[in-house]
Amino acid sequence: MSGTKTGMFVVARQIRRTLDFAKESMTVLKCGAFFALGCFLSYYLGLSCTVTTLVVFGVYLATGGWRFTWVVINTLPRDLKALQVLIKLKLQTKKYIANETTIADLFSKTAAKYPNKDCILFEKQKWTYRDVEIYVNRVANYFQEEGYQKGDVVALLMENRPEYVCFWLGLSKIGAVAALINYNLRNQPLAHSVKAAESKGIVFAGDMSLALEEIMPSLSRDLKLYCIGSMASSGISPIYMDPILQKSPDFPPRKVRVKFTDKLFYVFTSGTTGLPKAAIISHSRFNYMTVAVNQFMNLTDEDVLYDCLPLYHTAGGVIGVGQMIIAGTTLVIKKKFSASRFWDDCVEYKCTAGQYIGEICRYLLAQPVKPAETQHKVRVMFGNGLKPQIWAEFQKRFGVAQMGEFYGATEGNCNTINPDNRVGAVGFTTMIAPALYPITLIKIDERTGEHIRDRNGVCIRAKPGEPGELVGKIVKGDALREFDGYVNKQATDKKVCSDVFRKGDQAFLTGDILIMDEFGYFYFRDRTGDTFRWKGENVSTNEVEAVISNIIKLNDAVVYGVEIPGLEGRAGMATIVDETNSLDLDHLHSALQKSLPAYAKPLFIRIKKSVDTTGTFKLKKVDLRKEGFDPSIVKDPLYCLISGKYQPITEQVYNDICSGKIRL
């Protein structure tokens, strides 16, 4: 019996290898057959070149080639535009690398071209390009005189304001690197971010002083503090920048050699390792992301862009701010997003373009109808997370002609955009010549998270209609295909996979599961690993688990994201093991408020007497996530954070959440 099984296994393996070889050889065989047919028709039958070509093409269509032809017909204009943008970026990047151009140089060039043009509009303030350039030079001169050198890191902790952009631009002029800190962070995550960036100083707004004061004992005594505005705390003694900068020289600082491929600043991103990681944004990456969106969305110096997104994130702080720096687009900055003021602001500032995340579009649709929503001049909006269910409704109600949904991991090389209003698509790749922009989907075991490989150990690409993890090929020496990674090398290594396109290569792992259609459009499906997205932010489950465990002193706390009907992303849910019924939910909520930003706090709590330990931890999360917070499925006690308190989830509460009657 054993010998029979072995023989069957050998036969099956041989058949599989034969099939694999046949698939790999099919394209070559077809080309050979078509060439032979052409020779026969032309030389033996004496048909003209035109007739021969038509006959061969007809046979090609009849034997399945019509599918590829249909793809070419539908995507050629899109792909030609993308090729034009790609060529421009490659030539531009080559030029900037040779000339050692920096983002600050590009801004200075724009400021010289439009000195009196509105650069930043903020509340009742108007900053011209000359105003911004002067402030930037004052920042650069001050920190240069203070002894800051190329590579030194200065953290920025403040809400959206014009000075935010000026500080990182000024620091970049002397080769220093800004670390853009999420101002929602508190306690350990905030302290970790400052330390992870290896900051020598921190510039903060006065209203952030209390948050900073709380973490000072855990920071280095050598850390220098710089404050703009007035403080709400007297527990720290910073250097007040406002009067100093008024006296600082406004001419350009001493020239420091900075390359186009050098670090510009750090953006923090949540990941599977727990606390925020400092992702490197180089000058070349900043330019690449900005120019790509600019070209596809056709933004010019005549546009006014409404940016209400956080400037510490890539969307608002790179792609939005970048239009002001590189294209001469006037930038409207808001401290925070306001659904009730959005269209009024667009009318007031005469905006022609806007930015969004999916939640913003939903919030705007939930607002009462008002005149301003049709009186504005916004022709294009771009961002990520717009649900296909509300896409058409949003455009119809608000009259926005073009929605530019894009995909781009902060630290990765897989940026892509949907330039032609394809509802639901987050971007595309060419199906005609995929080697031109090597990003693809690879098959993954959704329960284990393992990549599925072929007999040679190379990752298997997902076919149209199949889910797969988006990856981008890493090409050393190509600024557009490099993976700059994180400050922490270990974190960088975890995002790199080998043997993806072929043996010996490397690719960046996005951690996102997408699906591709026959025309190469990508559609977002889910995140892999131990993160989920809520309120436009990536949340690390490991980080939240660690915080909960520290609070409740229990061994097991499992955090994961669950879907809520009608809402974007996944809301946080924690399953906590409480064998002795000693869990105090009020204390838990109070402690979570102090330790986590609002978007990271679990909205749902499930209490279990024990957790199945027969499988791996990842498998347990998958099962718990599928069960969600439905009391008809889950028999354990369930709670939801409603009006600042964890309250029991009954059938009625569950139905009210799903219908939107209870708003989370």
Side-chain angles (χ1 to χ4, degrees), residues 96-102 105 144 149-151 171-176 253-263 283:
Y96 290 163
I97 289 175
N99 296 339
E100 295 188 349
T101 303
T102 66
D105 292 334
Q144 192 171 61
Q149 300 177 352
K150 180 180 177 180
L171 289 165
S172 74
K173 280 199 170 189
I174 63 172
R254 295 190 307 276
K255 185 68 175 176
V256 175
R257 185 182 180 187
V258 180
K259 299 178 181 178
F260 192 56
T261 53
D262 283 343
K263 300 173 184 176
H283 294 261

Side-chain angles (χ1 to χ4, degrees), residues 181-192:
I181 307 291
N182 181 338
Y183 56 72
N184 292 297
L185 298 179
R186 295 295 182 270
N187 297 328
Q188 185 190 6
L190 177 56
H192 168 82

Side-chain angles (χ1 to χ4, degrees), residues 576-591:
I576 300 172
V577 177
D578 183 17
E579 298 176 351
T580 59
N581 297 320
S582 59
L583 180 62
D584 184 341
L585 289 175
D586 290 335
H587 169 68
L588 174 64
H589 176 247
S590 176

Side-chain angles (χ1 to χ4, degrees), residues 275-534:
L275 294 166
K277 301 190 297 290
I280 299 169
I281 302 295
S282 62
H283 294 261
S284 60
R285 179 161 175 73
F286 184 101
N287 183 73
Y288 158 57
M289 296 175 73
T290 299
V291 172
V293 171
N294 176 272
Q295 293 295 297
F296 279 114
M297 296 295 102
N298 299 310
L299 298 172
T300 71
D301 57 350
E302 296 182 358
D303 283 306
V304 178
L305 175 62
Y306 188 77
D307 187 353
C308 58
L309 305 183
L311 297 182
Y312 59 75
H313 266 181
T314 308
V318 174
I319 298 175
V321 171
Q323 306 309 318
M324 173 267 286
I325 290 175
I326 291 172
T329 301
T330 297
L331 186 69
V332 178
I333 294 178
K334 297 294 292 183
K335 263 194 175 181
K336 291 182 179 180
F337 163 71
S338 169
S340 62
R341 285 290 312 168
F342 189 94
W343 296 116
D344 292 319
D345 286 341
C346 288
V347 172
E348 178 183 346
Y349 293 112
K350 300 178 181 178
C351 297
T352 58
Q355 288 187 266
Y356 69 87
I357 55 175
E359 289 82 353
I360 283 180
C361 296
R362 180 171 58 82
Y363 295 153
L364 292 176
L365 281 172
Q367 289 291 302
V369 175
K370 60 192 315 184
E373 66 184 47
T374 56
Q375 294 172 348
H376 64 83
K377 297 180 180 179
V378 176
R379 60 178 175 80
V380 59
M381 291 182 67
F382 53 91
N384 60 281
L386 176 56
K387 283 280 189 178
Q389 294 86 346
I390 65 172
W391 190 308
E393 180 186 359
F394 185 90
Q395 286 191 279
K396 182 179 179 181
R397 175 175 168 181
F398 300 118
V400 180
Q402 183 177 12
M403 302 300 291
E405 179 79 3
F406 64 77
Y407 176 92
T410 298
E411 68 279 30
N413 62 357
C414 293
N415 297 59
T416 181
I417 191 169
N418 170 5
D420 41 25
N421 273 327
R422 184 84 170 190
V423 174
V426 301
F428 74 95
T429 186
T430 173
M431 303 296 282
I432 302 173
L436 289 175
Y437 193 63
I439 64 174
T440 192
L441 304 182
I442 58 174
K443 289 187 177 181
I444 188 171
D445 187 320
E446 294 188 45
R447 290 188 64 85
T448 65
E450 298 289 332
H451 297 114
I452 300 174
R453 298 178 180 270
D454 64 15
R455 59 192 174 90
N456 298 315
V458 177
C459 292
I460 299 176
R461 301 190 196 188
K463 299 176 182 177
E466 294 181 341
E469 181 177 1
L470 181 64
V471 299
K473 186 175 182 179
I474 297 172
V475 181
K476 298 292 184 182
D478 184 342
L480 301 184
R481 302 302 319 152
E482 285 273 21
F483 169 44
D484 295 320
Y486 308 96
V487 174
N488 183 292
K489 185 181 182 302
Q490 187 178 8
T492 300
D493 293 340
K494 288 183 178 181
K495 297 292 286 186
V496 176
C497 182
S498 299
D499 304 331
V500 177
F501 292 83
R502 58 174 57 88
K503 271 290 187 182
D505 69 3
Q506 289 185 319
F508 166 73
L509 300 172
T510 63
D512 290 327
I513 300 295
L514 279 68
I515 291 178
M516 182 177 67
D517 68 15
E518 61 179 326
F519 300 119
Y521 287 101
F522 291 122
Y523 302 84
F524 184 84
R525 177 169 172 176
D526 204 355
R527 289 192 64 81
T528 64
D530 297 321
T531 59
F532 61 88
R533 191 168 181 82
W534 180 245

Side-chain angles (χ1 to χ4, degrees), residues 133-149 152 154 166-167 170-171 173-174 176 200-203 224-228 237-254:
E133 176 74 347
I134 287 173
Y135 197 101
V136 166
N137 285 336
R138 286 174 172 171
V139 169
N141 280 306
Y142 172 76
F143 281 96
Q144 192 171 61
E145 291 303 313
E146 284 292 294
Y148 284 83
Q149 300 177 352
D152 288 343
V154 178
C166 295
F167 267 97
L171 289 165
K173 280 199 170 189
I174 63 172
K200 291 186 65 175
I202 180 167
V203 180
K224 295 182 179 180
L225 306 180
Y226 306 93
C227 177
I228 61 172
S237 301
I239 297 171
Y240 289 93
M241 296 298 294
D242 294 336
I244 291 176
L245 290 180
Q246 288 180 1
K247 300 176 182 178
S248 182
D250 58 15
F251 49 77
R254 295 190 307 276

